[in-house]
Structures are given as C-alpha cells and as structure tokens.
Amino acid sequence: MKNSFKRSELVAVSEVDKYKNYGLAAKTLNIAQANLSRTITTVEERIGLKIFERDTRPIRTTRFGSEFIHHIKKTLDVMDELSSFAENYKQSLNDRVNICAPIGILIYLARHILPKVREARPEIGFRLTTHNTTATTGITVREDADITFTYSAPTNEPLVAKRIAATALDVYSTEDTLLRYPVSDIRDYERYPCIRVAEKAEQSCNWCLYDKNESKEIKLSVNGNYVVDNYMTGLELARTSNHFFLAPKILINEMNAPDLKPTLPTNTEACGSVYMVYRPKAYLPYRISVVTELISKLLGDDFSM
C-alpha cells in the first residue's frame, strides 16, 4: 500500500505537532533531531503533501497537516486501545482453559489434579474435551486446544511438548484369558490375541518391553481382532474378549478393575510417557501459563506411576 505508515512515524508527526519544535520533540522521543526531521520528510514525500511549515517559528501545520494530525491522534488512540486489549486478554484469568486429552488422562486430572488447581486459582474455569490420538507418525492437536495431554509427542507442530510423567505399563487380561493362554515368556504374547492401539497398529513391532535380567529392550509384533484409539476402550475389551492389552497401570487404579490382572513376567517391565502440549510462552495467555505451571508441579508431586 502506497500510503501506509509505521506507528513510529505517526508518533513522530504527533510529537512535532505537540511541541512545535524539532529539538524538543526529538529529545522526548530520544532520537537525534536529524533523524526526526528525516522521518517527517519521508512521510511528507510518501503522501506528496506538506504537513508542517518549516519556515515559521514555532513550527505551524499546513491545512492538510492539521486534518492529517487529527486522524493520526485518533489512529494512535485506536492502536493503544488494541494493544491494551491484547495485553489484558493475555493477562486475564477470567476465561476457560480448554484441556484436550484421552479419556483416561481426563479422568485422572478430574479426580486428582484439577481440584487442586481450582483451589489455588478459583477464578480459572476449564473445558475438558476428549481427544484420542490415532496418528501413526506422531499426534496432532486440536486447533481450539489450550493444553493437550498425550502419550506421544507431536511432530511437525510449532508447539511445546513437555514430558511430565513416566508411566509404568503392564499387559492386562482376565483370569479366564490367562488360564486359556498362559504366559511364561514375553514371546508368548506374539502367539496370543492382543488388542492394539491405533497409533501403533500398523507398525511391525508395536509392543516395546524391557528385559531386566538381560538389560535390553525387546520388541514384540502382536496381533488380534481389535484396534482401539484409547486405553479405556482397550481395557474394557480385555475384560470381555479373551485378549491381552498393554496399558498404563494408573488407569487400572482409576477404573477400579480387580478383574483385570497384570500378566508381565517378573523379569519384564514396560514404560510409557505422558506429554503436556501447548503453544510457546510468547503466545501463551497468562491463564494458560498459570495452569501449565501448576499442573506440572502437581503431577511432579502427585503422579505416582
């Protein structure tokens, strides 16, 4: 656009009009008088009209200059109002924080974490949205999500992904399933029906276990009749379908599911991660920054895996 102006240029014109003197205006703006004069000349040349009569003392505005400066002042007021609105919105606590996560994590947050956050910051509200991740090469997040919790980090996203907890896993089944398919070695799972998670279902090795005796990771390729996009559904299927399912131990505690038994051999363990995903702090409203810091602290103190 030919006649577009920087805020600094509009402020320069306004200050010269205020003081009617280049020296005083330059001192107020903390710039050299020659630079201020050059800025005014640049604006006038861009418009093609004079703003100030330089041959008078004190400096006087031209007819065009008087009307132009009137509009400048209104424009600067609007710009200040806009900046104030943006800053106040960013600093405000009086709005809801949208938390998106798989249902199991939402249940844990609702029971153990968010009541403590509300106790610390009662003015902050929350919207909890179920969001199960199914991508095979890294998760995606919803556009309206302020904070997203996931079991895997996002890829190709300009977001912060903070690993906030390591979660112990086990392979669960009912006693009936275990009687039908006894487990004495972790390779047995490759021969038995297993429930797979959608984001790993197409990978050739979709269970990663750790052999404590041999101090090495073991990858298993499992198969079965079911693929799910969240752990809660998988655990319900493990109850009813004679399948094995690898899931976080914390969810078993939350579900109060005594009929589901851990089946990993004693020399084997499995571990996953929980990530909290949000925008970089430069673009983070204050209320979201407050919540992420509180949740990080509470999970660090409280998240027993």
Side-chain angles (χ1 to χ4, degrees):
M1 182 182 291
K2 182 179 179 182
N3 291 333
S4 60
F5 307 99
K6 298 177 182 177
R7 189 181 193 280
S8 59
E9 293 174 331
L10 300 182
V11 171
V13 173
S14 179
E15 289 299 301
V16 171
D17 175 65
K18 177 180 178 180
Y19 289 102
K20 310 299 184 187
N21 183 287
Y22 275 87
L24 292 176
K27 186 176 181 180
T28 300
L29 294 171
N30 197 29
I31 61 175
Q33 182 174 333
N35 292 340
L36 175 60
S37 179
R38 192 178 304 115
T39 296
I40 300 300
T41 300
T42 298
V43 173
E44 290 177 330
E45 288 177 350
R46 188 182 309 148
I47 299 170
L49 293 168
K50 289 288 186 181
I51 300 172
F52 298 107
E53 297 287 358
R54 289 174 172 75
D55 297 332
T56 62
R57 294 291 183 274
I59 294 172
R60 291 187 306 182
T61 57
T62 64
R63 181 177 176 183
F64 163 76
S66 296
E67 294 189 31
F68 184 59
I69 290 168
H70 173 72
H71 287 288
I72 283 177
K73 291 178 178 178
K74 290 198 298 184
T75 299
L76 289 174
D77 286 342
V78 170
M79 293 176 74
D80 288 342
E81 185 178 351
L82 187 61
S83 296
S84 178
F85 165 77
E87 186 61 25
N88 288 339
Y89 183 86
K90 185 173 181 179
Q91 296 297 326
S92 173
L93 293 172
N94 298 317
D95 202 356
R96 297 188 188 280
V97 175
N98 187 17
I99 296 178
C100 298
I103 184 65
I105 294 179
L106 287 182
I107 290 173
Y108 183 86
L109 292 173
R111 287 179 179 171
H112 303 288
I113 301 300
L114 293 184
K116 295 177 182 178
V117 174
R118 286 277 297 152
E119 183 179 346
R121 290 288 192 171
E123 67 272 39
I124 300 178
F126 295 92
R127 183 173 70 198
L128 305 184
T129 305
T130 302
H131 178 59
N132 298 311
T133 60
T134 59
T136 58
T137 56
I139 66 100
T140 58
V141 300
R142 291 168 53 115
E143 287 292 327
D144 63 344
D146 294 319
I147 304 171
T148 300
F149 289 89
T150 76
Y151 292 109
S152 56
T155 58
N156 301 322
E157 297 263 8
L159 300 169
V160 176
K162 182 178 182 180
R163 185 175 181 269
I164 56 171
T167 173
L169 310 176
D170 210 312
V171 178
Y172 292 93
S173 74
T174 62
E175 289 184 355
D176 288 342
T177 301
L178 199 54
L179 287 172
R180 181 178 298 188
Y181 306 111
V183 177
S184 58
D185 182 85
I186 59 174
R187 293 292 178 186
D188 290 335
Y189 295 119
E190 293 185 311
R191 302 186 292 109
Y192 296 156
C194 297
I195 301 162
R196 296 174 296 168
V197 177
E199 63 181 288
K200 299 179 180 179
E202 296 178 8
Q203 299 176 11
S204 58
C205 295
N206 37 59
W207 281 10
C208 292
L209 309 178
Y210 184 77
D211 188 313
K212 292 184 286 185
N213 290 343
E214 298 185 16
S215 299
K216 68 178 183 179
E217 186 179 75
I218 298 175
K219 295 182 178 181
L220 302 182
S221 179
V222 299
N223 287 287
N225 298 107
Y226 299 100
V227 175
V228 298
D229 70 352
N230 67 88
Y231 285 121
M232 299 295 280
T233 302
L235 289 170
E236 287 299 323
L237 284 170
R239 282 173 149 169
T240 60
S241 65
N242 288 320
H243 279 57
F244 293 87
F245 187 52
L246 179 66
K249 291 181 180 180
I250 189 70
L251 291 186
I252 300 298
N253 298 334
E254 294 305 309
M255 290 177 66
N256 189 23
D259 53 327
L260 288 173
K261 307 298 181 182
T263 67
L264 277 177
T266 55
N267 67 318
T268 309
E269 62 183 17
C271 185
S273 298
V274 177
Y275 294 88
M276 181 166 62
V277 182
Y278 49 91
R279 297 179 185 86
K281 283 201 171 184
Y283 306 102
L284 206 61
Y286 180 60
R287 67 185 184 281
I288 301 173
S289 180
V290 167
V291 171
T292 57
E293 290 176 8
L294 279 172
I295 289 178
S296 294
K297 182 180 186 304
L298 290 168
L299 286 176
D301 294 343
D302 212 40
F303 210 104
S304 56
M305 297 292 183

